[in-house]
């Protein structure tokens, strides 16, 4: 895997769909192979299993990180006995937990998932970068409440202590939607800062029509590039493509 140039950071967000591919095969190693293609330093993963029967009881974040030789931190959004389901941050650099939280909002009747966010300090050579990974709900009202929490002093404002901040996630929200506008008042959407600006649609991999995966940064980071990683392997490995950004530390 190539090294990122000094003063730059490559990040990605990737909804891995429980490592279940479009071929109906569940493979953590295949997801790890997609991540290896990206050449990133840090990635936020959504929809991971931990000790669930459907995924043979494995720690999916642990298996993926083991394949890459990376650090990881998993946080459960839902628990049922010993079975957990949630999100993780994986990094080639050491990680330190800053904050985890369940997100507010009542999920709609057709998708009763509870949602969560995790905030980690990534200890890169030149200092720390605060990385947040999340997955918003499907209900409009709950997404607004979830965005409101993440722009609060508890998260983005006071909690970063002047550090570079990256927000990664499947927000189930399109550019210009209410949650997107709320976040954009406090952080900068990378897709609007790169040229040429494009939708960068990531879902579904069968025919990408929706830009629901997002990367936001604060003023301490300057976007260099943004891309959707559409390789043959990524097309089959999940129902989302990874969204990848290269950032420059200012």
């Amino acid at each position: 895997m190539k090294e990122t140039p000094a003063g730059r950071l490559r990040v990605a967000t990737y909804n891995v769909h429980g490592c279940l591919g479009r071929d109906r095969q569940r493979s953590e190693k295949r997801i790890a192979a997609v991540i290896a293609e990206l050449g990133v330093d840090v990635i936020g993963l959504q929809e991971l299993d931990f000790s669930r029967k459907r995924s043979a009881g494995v720690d999916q974040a642990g298996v993926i990180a083991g394949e890459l030789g990376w650090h990881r931190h998993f946080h459960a959004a839902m628990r049922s006995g010993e079975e957990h389901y949630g999100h993780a941050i994986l990094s080639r650099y050491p990680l330190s937990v800053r904050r985890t939280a369940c997100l507010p909002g009542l999920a709609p009747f057709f998708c009763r998932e509870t949602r969560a966010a995790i905030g980690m300090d990534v200890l890169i050579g030149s200092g720390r970068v605060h990385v947040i990974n999340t997955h918003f709900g499907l209900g409009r009202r709950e997404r607004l409440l979830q965005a409101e929490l993440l722009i609060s002093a508890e998260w983005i404002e006071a909690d970063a202590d002047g550090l570079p901040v990256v927000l990664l996630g499947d927000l189930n929200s399109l550019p210009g939607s209410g949650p997107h506008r709320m976040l954009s008042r406090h952080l900068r959407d990378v897709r609007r800062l790169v040229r040429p600006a494009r939708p960068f649609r990531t879902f579904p991999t069968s025919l990408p029509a929706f830009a629901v995966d997002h990367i936001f940064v604060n003023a301490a980071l300057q976007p260099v590039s943004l891309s959707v990683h559409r390789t043959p392997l990524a097309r089959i490995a999940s129902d989302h493509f990874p969204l990848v950004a290269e950032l420059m530390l200012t």
Side-chain angles (χ1 to χ4, degrees), residues 14-55:
Y14 190 14
N15 184 323
V16 299
H17 196 225
C19 302
L20 182 67
R22 289 179 55 214
D23 58 359
R24 309 308 299 169
Q25 299 299 308
R26 201 176 298 275
S27 174
E28 295 79 24
K29 290 186 177 181
R30 183 165 58 186
I31 293 295
V34 172
I35 296 170
E37 293 179 341
L38 306 179
V40 296
D41 304 296
V42 183
I43 188 165
L45 303 181
Q46 303 89 38
E47 296 193 11
L48 287 162
D49 289 349
F50 178 90
S51 192
R52 296 189 71 182
K53 292 179 181 178
R54 72 175 189 178
S55 50

Side-chain angles (χ1 to χ4, degrees), residues 12-16 42-48 61 73-75 77 86-90 99-101 103 115-121 130-136 150 155 165-171 213-216:
T13 181
Y14 190 14
N15 184 323
V16 299
V42 183
I43 188 165
L45 303 181
Q46 303 89 38
E47 296 193 11
L48 287 162
H73 182 82
F74 170 82
H75 180 70
H87 326 310
I89 293 175
L90 277 62
R99 184 179 297 278
T100 64
L103 296 182
R115 308 290 173 161
I118 55 177
M120 310 287 295
D121 282 347
H130 184 44
V131 178
I132 301 167
N133 179 32
T134 192
H135 187 190
F136 283 3
L150 290 186
W155 279 85
V165 175
V166 182
L167 171 62
L168 307 167
D170 175 359
L171 304 184
D213 298 287
H214 299 269
I215 300 175
F216 286 82

Side-chain angles (χ1 to χ4, degrees), residues 65 186 211 231:
H186 297 260
T231 62

Side-chain angles (χ1 to χ4, degrees), residues 223-245:
V224 176
S225 65
L226 184 69
S227 61
V228 178
H229 187 73
R230 294 182 182 174
T231 62
L233 186 62
R235 189 174 297 277
I236 198 72
S238 176
D239 60 347
H240 286 242
F241 285 114
L243 183 66
V244 186

Side-chain angles (χ1 to χ4, degrees), residues 2-245:
K2 67 180 181 180
E3 294 289 333
T4 304
R8 296 197 179 189
L9 185 73
R10 280 179 64 85
V11 303
T13 181
Y14 190 14
N15 184 323
V16 299
H17 196 225
C19 302
L20 182 67
R22 289 179 55 214
D23 58 359
R24 309 308 299 169
Q25 299 299 308
R26 201 176 298 275
S27 174
E28 295 79 24
K29 290 186 177 181
R30 183 165 58 186
I31 293 295
V34 172
I35 296 170
E37 293 179 341
L38 306 179
V40 296
D41 304 296
V42 183
I43 188 165
L45 303 181
Q46 303 89 38
E47 296 193 11
L48 287 162
D49 289 349
F50 178 90
S51 192
R52 296 189 71 182
K53 292 179 181 178
R54 72 175 189 178
S55 50
V58 304
D59 169 3
Q60 290 189 322
V63 172
I64 296 166
E67 288 290 315
L68 297 167
W70 282 15
H71 306 272
R72 98 285 189 174
H73 182 82
F74 170 82
H75 180 70
M78 299 179 67
R79 297 176 175 85
S80 178
E82 297 299 315
E83 297 192 358
H84 296 179
Y85 172 76
H87 326 310
I89 293 175
L90 277 62
S91 170
R92 67 167 72 241
Y93 299 109
L95 294 168
S96 174
V97 180
R98 182 177 282 262
R99 184 179 297 278
T100 64
C102 292
L103 296 182
L106 179 64
F109 71 92
F110 54 85
C111 183
R112 288 299 191 188
E113 285 188 27
T114 55
R115 308 290 173 161
I118 55 177
M120 310 287 295
D121 282 347
V122 181
L123 310 177
I124 64 176
S126 57
R128 293 180 295 154
V129 176
H130 184 44
V131 178
I132 301 167
N133 179 32
T134 192
H135 187 190
F136 283 3
L138 295 181
R140 181 179 179 277
R141 177 59 181 162
E142 67 170 328
R143 291 197 303 272
L144 288 169
L145 291 172
Q146 289 157 5
E148 186 175 27
L149 174 67
L150 290 186
I151 62 174
S152 70
E154 289 184 79
W155 279 85
I156 288 173
E157 294 177 5
D159 204 34
D161 299 329
L163 297 177
V165 175
V166 182
L167 171 62
L168 307 167
D170 175 359
L171 304 184
N172 278 312
S173 304
L174 298 175
S177 64
H180 182 271
R181 293 196 307 272
M182 188 180 296
L183 290 169
S184 296
R185 289 196 288 268
H186 297 260
L187 292 172
R188 304 180 302 159
D189 181 356
V190 171
R191 65 168 39 85
R192 293 187 170 181
L193 298 173
V194 297
R195 295 291 181 269
R198 301 195 308 275
F200 297 98
R201 299 181 179 96
T202 52
F203 175 81
T205 54
S206 56
L207 184 63
F210 302 103
V212 294
D213 298 287
H214 299 269
I215 300 175
F216 286 82
V217 297
N218 69 354
L221 291 162
Q222 180 60 42
V224 176
S225 65
L226 184 69
S227 61
V228 178
H229 187 73
R230 294 182 182 174
T231 62
L233 186 62
R235 189 174 297 277
I236 198 72
S238 176
D239 60 347
H240 286 242
F241 285 114
L243 183 66
V244 186

